[in-house]
Amino acid sequence: MLIGGGPIFQRIGEAVDAARHSIWLTIAFYTDNFCFPDGRGSLFDALDRAVARGVDVRVVVWRPNPEVARRPNMFIGSSADRDLLGKRGSRIKIRWDRTVGVFCQHQKSWVIDAGQPLQSAFVGGANLGAPSFEFHNVYLEVEGPAVTDVHHNFVQRWNEASEREKEDGSWNCDAAEVLPFPVQASGRRGSSIVQIQRMLQGGLYRDGRPTPGGNAFDVAQGERSVLEQYERAIDAAKRTIYLENQAIPVMSVAGPLVRALERGVDVVLLAPAKPEDYVYAARHDPNQRPRFEGIDALGRYPNFLFAGIAKQDGESRHPVYVHSKHMVVDNAWATIGSCNLHAFSLAGHSEMNASIWDEEVVRDFRRRLFALHLGLDVAHLDDRAAVQLYCRVAQENRAKMEAGDTNWQGNVFALSPERYGLT
């Protein structure tokens, strides 16, 4: 697990520079102010260097439909984008890919040396922009058979990218160029059980051939395995659930969380203390009331904590934007990826998560997160005691904030579910 934009992109940058055969990535959002740490330069600096040493570099980038408002962090293949690539003399292979309506190709995956004995992948939710170094983000580096699923996903998207046959839908590649699907799973690496899940709209990709070692799956009907795993993992929880997410949960996730609270599970949700503008607008719009039914329902239970984080800046504190998307259950299971808990990710965006069954790895992940947010080592505590300490510190820091005291323990503080988005 990689926590924080600096460590995430330092490690990915190292992997890019070490690649010997291929670098394949999917991009949702990109801005030209992104640079890798340690002087590795921009995204295109690193990728062009790889091409120069003979590495096969391919990128699948989301192209929004006309009904989606344009934003500065979209690399849509415009004339300006193509001019940038042309001036660089870039030999990267790029295809642009749409999804349905207002939805987004939201995956942010990397596959390094696909199909090789030591192939690896990165699965997470950080965007390629300077703000990702300020936001709270989490990524997972994967080796072993699970990488073959990420490899398969990239091939599927590359081969059927929606814009591949359009004049402006690709860069440095022919529309007829097809990648072969992996025919053998990567060798075992380590002891963790890891599974890749996706959210995909039906009708985007025709190929339904199975991942090696798996059963035939008709992806033409779509896939909802990220949501299915959230629901099943929450229903299986016995003691604790710890979530970090950019969005407050819709009822398809909040409903199972309410059931968990009712059977005595302690639940913590860390979200942006200062959400995006659309959340404020929705909170003041009576027609958008359903957006908040989930958080309002959760807020009625004493064993639920809703929290944010704020960093010390001189004599004041400023909210840190929570952009991570993961859940930890009972110190036994975790999921990390690009999937938010709002209606867009759970009903239309293309997403990718990786789930891990490994008590030692998951416990260490939760311990590292709590050490970051509490400023305390909780290695000596079990999951329930650690979560209860987290709740106590968050409530104490909230009281300090209201009293104008910035001398907190750690950076976490309690939020009010019923007031979220109002002020």
Side-chain angles (χ1 to χ4, degrees):
M1 283 78 162
L2 302 166
I3 302 173
I8 289 168
F9 290 114
Q10 179 177 2
R11 180 67 196 107
I12 292 177
E14 291 169 353
V16 166
D17 280 354
R20 291 296 173 263
H21 300 278
S22 63
I23 302 166
W24 298 347
L25 62 147
T26 61
I27 294 177
F29 296 100
Y30 164 82
T31 47
D32 59 11
N33 60 10
F34 172 83
C35 284
F36 286 103
D38 299 332
R40 287 188 164 87
S42 71
L43 173 69
F44 294 115
D45 289 338
L47 296 183
D48 285 337
R49 284 198 306 269
V51 173
R53 63 176 189 269
V55 175
D56 178 43
V57 179
R58 299 171 188 258
V59 188
V60 177
V61 189
W62 173 46
R63 175 172 284 176
N65 290 320
E67 54 265 48
V68 177
R70 294 292 184 265
R71 293 162 55 178
N73 60 347
M74 293 176 174
F75 193 74
I76 63 174
S78 65
S79 58
D81 295 336
R82 300 174 75 83
D83 285 347
L84 180 151
L85 295 167
K87 288 176 181 177
R88 295 185 61 90
S90 183
R91 292 182 290 126
I92 301 165
K93 296 180 179 181
I94 302 176
R95 284 182 177 173
W96 280 270
D97 196 19
R98 297 186 190 272
T99 184
V100 177
V102 299
F103 295 112
C104 173
Q105 295 280 19
H106 201 240
Q107 295 176 347
K108 299 99 184 277
S109 63
W110 299 69
V111 186
I112 307 297
D113 290 338
Q116 300 300 310
L118 296 181
Q119 68 177 344
S120 63
F122 295 87
V123 177
N127 292 314
L128 296 169
S132 289
F133 292 89
E134 299 296 326
F135 294 170
H136 176 56
N137 275 302
V138 172
Y139 246 80
L140 181 70
E141 182 177 1
V142 184
E143 296 180 355
V147 179
T148 306
D149 283 343
V150 187
H151 175 179
H152 182 102
N153 173 81
F154 184 88
V155 171
Q156 193 170 61
R157 288 197 57 194
W158 177 267
N159 288 351
E160 300 197 67
S162 66
E163 309 299 277
R164 67 190 185 279
E165 296 181 350
K166 296 184 178 179
E167 184 177 355
D168 65 346
S170 62
W171 177 265
N172 195 41
C173 56
D174 187 276
E177 184 180 23
V178 174
L179 288 172
F181 278 90
V183 296
Q184 182 176 351
S186 181
R188 179 170 171 168
R189 301 281 290 172
S191 59
S192 300
I193 298 172
V194 180
Q195 187 181 43
I196 303 300
Q197 299 95 40
R198 300 185 297 180
M199 302 293 283
L200 287 179
Q201 281 275 9
L204 292 181
Y205 308 105
R206 296 182 299 276
D207 191 284
R209 74 180 66 185
T211 296
N215 297 317
F217 178 74
D218 187 6
V219 76
Q221 302 303 310
E223 182 175 342
R224 291 290 179 267
S225 57
V226 176
L227 177 58
E228 290 168 5
Q229 285 237 329
Y230 263 97
E231 292 170 338
R232 293 183 186 190
I234 292 168
D235 283 342
K238 296 179 175 64
R239 296 164 55 86
T240 59
I241 298 172
Y242 177 76
L243 302 103
E244 294 185 355
N245 208 273
Q246 183 184 2
I248 55 176
V250 295
M251 283 306 297
S252 55
V253 175
L257 288 171
V258 166
R259 294 196 298 268
L261 290 163
E262 289 177 343
R263 62 178 184 268
V265 176
D266 293 327
V267 178
V268 174
L269 169 60
L270 186 78
K274 184 179 179 181
E276 293 183 79
D277 290 343
Y278 81 86
V279 178
Y280 290 101
R283 188 57 122 164
H284 290 86
D285 182 354
N287 295 323
Q288 296 293 317
R289 182 71 186 84
R291 283 184 184 265
F292 301 92
E293 288 177 351
I295 194 65
D296 290 346
L298 294 169
R300 300 186 186 106
Y301 291 85
N303 48 332
F304 173 71
L305 173 73
F306 187 38
I309 51 178
K311 66 179 180 180
Q312 183 84 42
D313 186 5
E315 296 183 356
S316 60
R317 283 189 175 265
H318 299 287
V320 175
Y321 192 77
V322 174
H323 195 260
S324 50
K325 306 120 181 5
H326 64 81
M327 179 170 69
V328 179
V329 177
D330 289 343
N331 263 3
W333 178 92
T335 184
I336 296 171
S338 67
C339 191
N340 288 308
L341 299 181
H342 55 41
F344 293 102
S345 286
L346 298 179
H349 287 356
S350 297
E351 306 284 3
M352 178 179 288
N353 273 40
S355 293
I356 308 100
W357 287 257
D358 187 318
E359 289 188 14
E360 182 178 353
V361 170
V362 172
R363 183 186 305 112
D364 181 67
F365 178 48
R366 193 262 304 157
R367 179 191 63 80
R368 289 170 58 201
L369 288 167
F370 280 28
L372 177 66
H373 299 322
L374 300 179
L376 297 168
D377 187 356
V378 297
H380 62 291
L381 300 176
D382 66 22
D383 60 314
R384 175 151 271 171
V387 164
Q388 290 173 350
L389 174 63
Y390 191 105
C391 294
R392 184 166 66 252
V393 170
Q395 295 290 359
E396 291 171 353
N397 285 341
R398 176 73 190 198
K400 288 181 178 180
M401 182 187 74
E402 292 175 348
D405 181 0
T406 62
N407 185 26
W408 296 6
Q409 178 64 57
N411 63 12
V412 65
F413 67 107
L415 299 174
S416 171
E418 65 272 13
R419 299 289 302 169
Y420 193 62
L422 285 176
T423 57

